Amino acid sequence: VPLRFYIGADRSPVEYAYLVASWQRAGYRVDIPQAIFRGKLVEKDRQGLRHIYEPMLRQHYYSNFHMDDDSIRRYLEHIETIGECYLHAYPSSAKAIAACVQRHKLRVPPKICGVLAGSENVTPADREVVERVLGVRYFSWYGHSEKLVLAAECEQSSLYHVWPTYGHCELLDEKGAVVTSQGKRGEIVGTAGGQEAHHRDDCD
């Protein structure tokens, strides 16, 4: 049974504003469409393509639950028709797309501007493959459902920078003391609105 907890009604819009500000470091603008492969079960349209379009935010959703080679080929063909866009995906979905392109020598839509990847762990090897095959920057961020901590990469590196105005983030050791030494492992603790949420992610 999934854990349930209460969050303020304003947290999702606030999170989205910070995400957009983070993505802008990778060149993203709100007027650029997104090709999204994240968590939405998309039914087939009249052409048999698992695609829906949400015009408010210019978001093209494709089904990341259907990532066989033929589906990925059709997704890429459709992405080429939407022009300039960013690929917004789970890291596993971005990896599957890159692997399919490499395996079948498929054409990469030339107007994909970058990959915005989050919600799963990112490995250096997967990042290298996606960047090499798709020929664009791989940009990642860290967040969680409690919406208390948000961190993102920047223009210069793949290191995560915590947004200090989003929520109060601390890294605590096993005794509950703040970690101040570089390279020491701890637990991320986020605080907002006077309430504390222990998000059990171990980080260096």
Side-chain angles (χ1 to χ4, degrees):
V1 178
L3 174 68
R4 294 185 178 186
F5 48 87
Y6 292 99
I7 60 173
D10 65 334
R11 289 306 289 174
S12 290
V14 169
E15 179 188 47
Y16 187 72
Y18 275 89
L19 283 172
V20 169
S22 300
W23 298 335
Q24 286 174 338
R25 296 171 175 172
Y28 174 73
R29 304 188 315 270
V30 292
D31 62 325
I32 299 177
Q34 292 182 355
I36 302 179
F37 293 85
R38 290 174 52 88
K40 186 183 285 289
L41 183 59
V42 181
E43 300 297 334
K44 291 181 179 180
D45 62 16
R46 286 177 292 182
Q47 287 73 43
L49 178 68
R50 294 186 182 275
H51 164 261
I52 56 173
Y53 180 56
E54 295 187 1
M56 180 70 72
L57 296 175
R58 301 187 180 186
Q59 294 174 333
H60 294 264
Y61 279 92
Y62 305 90
S63 179
N64 70 299
F65 292 97
H66 300 85
M67 298 293 286
D68 58 277
D69 286 358
D70 185 61
S71 294
I72 292 175
R73 177 186 58 79
R74 294 196 65 189
Y75 297 153
L76 291 172
E77 289 174 351
H78 188 270
I79 289 171
E80 188 154 5
T81 69
I82 68 178
E84 187 180 35
C85 67
Y86 275 78
L87 201 65
H88 182 193
Y90 290 143
S92 57
S93 298
K95 179 182 178 181
I97 292 169
C100 182
V101 167
Q102 193 170 35
R103 187 163 52 247
H104 297 289
K105 297 181 172 55
L106 300 178
R107 172 182 167 86
V108 177
K111 292 190 177 182
I112 292 179
C113 303
V115 175
L116 308 173
S119 303
E120 294 174 350
N121 289 335
V122 178
T123 68
D126 291 347
R127 180 191 300 271
E128 187 277 329
V129 169
V130 172
E131 289 189 332
R132 174 169 46 82
V133 173
L134 300 187
V136 294
R137 166 76 192 273
Y138 189 112
F139 184 86
S140 185
W141 72 93
Y142 167 86
H144 49 69
S145 297
E146 295 92 328
K147 304 185 192 305
L148 296 179
V149 178
L150 187 65
E153 298 176 8
C154 71
E155 307 90 330
Q156 305 300 324
S157 76
S158 58
L159 299 175
Y160 290 111
H161 305 284
V162 176
W163 282 99
T165 51
Y166 183 81
H168 183 61
C169 176
E170 297 174 288
L171 190 64
L172 305 183
D173 63 19
E174 63 278 0
K175 296 180 179 180
V178 177
V179 173
T180 58
S181 302
Q182 184 174 350
K184 187 175 181 181
R185 184 175 292 272
E187 181 183 19
I188 293 174
V189 176
T191 308
Q195 296 186 355
E196 190 176 85
H198 290 263
H199 187 79
R200 305 197 63 84
D201 276 346
D202 289 330
C203 295
D204 295 329

